[in-house]
Amino acid sequence: MDKPLCNCLCNIITDPILNEMAKNIEEAMKILENGQREVEERQKYILKDIPGPLQGCGQDVSSILQLIQNLMYGEEKEDSQRMHGLGERGHVTLLGHSLVAYISGLHRERVRRLSIRVQSDTTLWLCRIFRYENGSAYYHDDDREGLLRVCRLVLYSRYEDYATEGYAVLSCRHPVIYQSSACRPGLGHYLCITLMCCRIVMPHHLANAAFSLQDVSVLDRLIKDDVKSGKVPLLLIANAGTAGAGHTDKLGNLRELCDQHNMWLHVEGVNLATLALSCVTSSVLAATRCDSMTLTLGPWLGLPAVPAVTLYRHEDPALALATGLASTQVAEKLRALPLWMSLQNLGHDRIVKRIKHALRLVSSLSVEDEVNSPIVLFKFSQETSPGSTQAISMFSTGVLQLGEQLAQQVPSSGVDLVHLEDEGSCVRFNPLMTSALLGTQDGDVDALMERIGEMVPLLSLTMCLRHEFREEVSNHSNLTYVEDLNWPGLGGIRYNPTCKDPDESKRQLLQEKINGDLLKNLQQLETEVEFSTGPEFSPEKSCIFIGMATENLDVAKLVDAIAAMGRDIEEGSKLLDNMTETVQRGIQEAERQLQKANEEKIMKEGVLRQIPVVGSVLNWFSPVQSSVNGKTFNLVAGSLDSTESIYSMKTQPVKETDLTPVFNITKQSDGKCFHFTIITPLTNPSILPECMRVTEVLFC
């Protein structure tokens, strides 16, 4: 919590419990927002990520908060992906949630008096701010819950016996709810499975963007057909800012249509936030005539965990109480307390300022917008042949890559990906829903546009070079092109080794090994082109995916280099296999000869010298100068020779033209281990495994 606010609370509040609560929240947020955690602290709590039994002695609060922090951030080393600081308004909201728990334990009359004041004040403020006169409010955590309660209210109103007979009264006259296909995904399904008595109609022949005048006429005919078939038009869900593109329906015409058919009109959408401004477009202003609307104030104003609000008008408070829109429960009334505190802390001027700031971020993009949408969509467009499904899929994948990289590189912009039925995949910039929480500023918008300007040409270049890349791969017999439309880069490639082993599993293992080594070598190259294993859930295995193209990229040279590097790895693998087999045979022969030499040494020295105590005495009185010479194994000649001449000259005689690896194999005096030493350096030591690159290896 900001120090001035904390000090102000301590100076004004006389209740010691409230003072202590404010201080505890301050300390808790300091721990959770501390971005300078040490590595030792993260390692200390890493084992606590694994669920375990509840500790009998309990834990202190600081340890619990440290665990929460570890679970929130994991092993992240950068703070760029963390949530923007909550600030004073965020701390006020958190204090409000704590106060709900505290107030619930007070005397019932005190709680009742406070809860009524909180709910009435909040409802009055919201109705005035968003121009919804004579309205009531329902506060709910799930932003779909308000619409669900409204549907139940309309059911009670249209079916008089519904309260006593239930679903039986609906069997003859089925209720129908209408919504456009542009409504937020899953809303109709949620109402169906929750109400279990309504038919949701989403006319797919209507425009996806919004209800136009032509669509209203089509909807009118559809409603009339339902009435003729004995159905009851119940409710229409309209949008003041669709979830995908931010378009607004013809709310005035829909209001008239609902009046004509005695239907309830419910409006939701991000454009409802602009009702708080002094200047509002007529299309959005028509929302004030609706029967109910849902406001999501948390994202709009940057207030964490505040409830959504559904404003509605209805003359019968008994029905509102029966359907849950109104409640006599104190806990329900106290749900508005965090919002009540936050609205007072912000004030009307700062509420308007935050909404204006979000709209200004949109206008700073210099986008020509005829429908005054607060959402900007970026769609990657490139000329393709008519009906080219493959090309369209490639471009959609490119947009996904663009959106993911923009979200990572400019996280404060709040951009995300959205798929529209008519437009396909797009990158969405929706500051009304993100800027207040993320703290988006003009500099973030400038950085976003700069990154788009850098990435779009590369994306276009990559799309153009994909066909050339595929053709170049087909020119190499040992390479296979891997098709994956979910990959936004040049494409995938697989190296096929020339293995004649009849065992399919061995051939597959060899292919996996060579392609794995090839990927590691490619990733070590100093190049701007990225190499990876491809999409996370790709069905293709043992392959290498090449990322987006860069300027001046020569695709032919790139493919030739990959093929050549694959051949080198395959040849090295064959040499290593042959060398391993030869060395194993040499070690076995050396072991046999050294064992034989050791037995001869024992027979020469006598059995008594082998007895521990007696042998030591005999060696002291009569020392014996005898040893077992090591063996040198020549890979080319396949011969096993003595190392006596090597150690006497302190060097290995090697011809200038012979750079074949030669190994020393020497048995220790205990007769249990061998020293395995590389004498002559290899021309390409990287083909040997790490265990064979050392100067000396001990075999036991």
Side-chain angles (χ1 to χ4, degrees), residues 89-90 92-97 99-100 118-119 121-127 129-130 137-141 295-311 333-347 351:
R89 261 65 64 189
V92 170
T93 305
L94 298 181
L95 180 59
H97 285 284
L99 283 172
V100 170
V118 167
Q119 189 172 48
D121 283 354
T122 310
T123 301
L124 176 63
W125 297 335
L126 293 177
C127 288
I129 292 174
F130 295 98
Y138 172 63
Y139 303 90
H140 44 97
D141 296 325
L295 310 175
T296 53
L297 299 169
W300 298 350
L301 304 179
L303 305 176
V306 298
V309 184
T310 294
L311 302 179
K333 294 180 180 294
L334 283 177
R335 187 179 292 172
L337 180 60
L339 183 59
W340 180 74
M341 295 180 62
S342 299
L343 291 177
Q344 291 188 89
N345 182 252
L346 277 172
I351 292 174

Side-chain angles (χ1 to χ4, degrees), residues 28-62:
M29 295 311 301
K30 283 182 179 179
I31 295 176
L32 293 179
E33 294 181 349
N34 179 21
Q36 306 296 329
R37 294 174 298 153
E38 300 293 337
V39 176
E40 292 80 9
E41 292 181 357
R42 290 201 298 266
Q43 294 297 329
K44 177 181 178 182
Y45 291 94
I46 189 67
L47 295 179
K48 294 186 179 181
D49 293 350
I50 304 174
L54 183 64
Q55 296 187 14
C57 59
Q59 300 184 62
D60 57 84
V61 177
S62 60

Side-chain angles (χ1 to χ4, degrees), residues 48 115 440 450 627:
K48 294 186 179 181
S115 61
T440 309
E450 181 180 354
S627 62

Side-chain angles (χ1 to χ4, degrees), residues 620-634:
W620 185 75
F621 282 105
S622 177
V624 176
Q625 301 293 332
S626 63
S627 62
V628 177
N629 293 327
K631 299 296 181 180
T632 298
F633 179 67
N634 192 305

Side-chain angles (χ1 to χ4, degrees), residues 267-295:
V267 180
E268 59 180 29
V270 67
N271 285 355
L272 292 176
T274 61
L275 290 173
L277 306 180
S278 57
C279 183
V280 187
T281 61
S282 58
S283 58
V284 177
L285 189 60
T288 58
R289 297 168 52 201
C290 68
D291 297 299
S292 60
M293 65 169 66
T294 296
L295 310 175

Side-chain angles (χ1 to χ4, degrees), residues 303 370 436 525 560:
L303 305 176
E370 297 179 356
L525 297 177
D560 291 342

